[in-house]
Amino acid sequence: MSKTVELQMEKSRNLISGLRKHVKEQGERGITPREIDEMEQTLQQLETANAEVDRLREELSPKVKQMNDILTAVKTAYGENKKTLKGYYPQERWADYGISDKR
C-alpha cells in the first residue's frame, strides 16, 4: 500500500468517526448523515481498489524482475555481437547488419 493512500484512508476514517459522533451538533447547516455514508462508501471502494492494486503489484514485481534480467541479457548479446561485427567489417558495411553507428 502506498503511503499516500494509507495516510488518506486513515485520515478519512478518523474524519468519518468524528462526523458520526457529532452529526447531531451540525444540524441543517452541517454535513448530513447521507453525506457521511457516501464518504464511507467511497472509502470502502478505495480500500477494495487498493487491495487489488497491492495484489497485482505482488504478481507484477517478479515478472518485472524477470523482464529486466532478460533485457540485460539482450543488451549484453547485442553489445558483444555489434562489437564483433565492427571488428570484422569496415564501417561502410555496418549498416548492412543494422548497426547505425558512425564511428
Side-chain angles (χ1 to χ4, degrees):
M1 174 181 315
S2 78
K3 278 291 190 190
T4 305
V5 173
E6 184 179 344
L7 183 61
Q8 186 60 54
M9 288 189 327
E10 185 61 30
K11 290 185 331 187
S12 295
R13 281 188 210 106
N14 291 337
L15 178 62
I16 290 169
S17 176
L19 288 171
R20 290 215 187 275
K21 288 178 187 174
H22 302 285
V23 73
K24 291 179 183 172
E25 293 174 15
Q26 296 175 29
E28 292 180 18
R29 56 193 155 95
I31 299 169
T32 66
R34 181 174 177 221
E35 290 172 318
I36 298 170
D37 291 342
E38 288 172 1
M39 183 178 177
E40 193 167 34
Q41 282 181 332
T42 305
L43 178 59
Q44 288 172 350
Q45 291 172 348
L46 176 61
E47 289 171 346
T48 301
N50 189 59
E52 183 178 1
V53 167
D54 284 344
R55 182 185 56 77
L56 291 170
R57 275 192 188 117
E58 287 178 19
E59 290 177 21
L60 185 61
S61 291
K63 292 181 188 278
V64 169
K65 183 185 180 326
Q66 179 185 17
M67 185 208 55
N68 286 336
D69 292 344
I70 294 168
L71 176 61
T72 300
V74 167
K75 282 181 172 182
T76 300
Y78 174 83
E80 290 172 2
N81 291 327
K82 183 171 95 169
K83 185 188 243 182
T84 300
L85 286 168
K86 285 174 127 180
Y88 283 111
Y89 294 100
Q91 181 178 350
E92 297 79 34
R93 297 273 326 270
W94 294 352
D96 296 345
Y97 292 94
I99 299 173
S100 59
D101 295 354
K102 298 292 180 190
R103 295 183 193 178

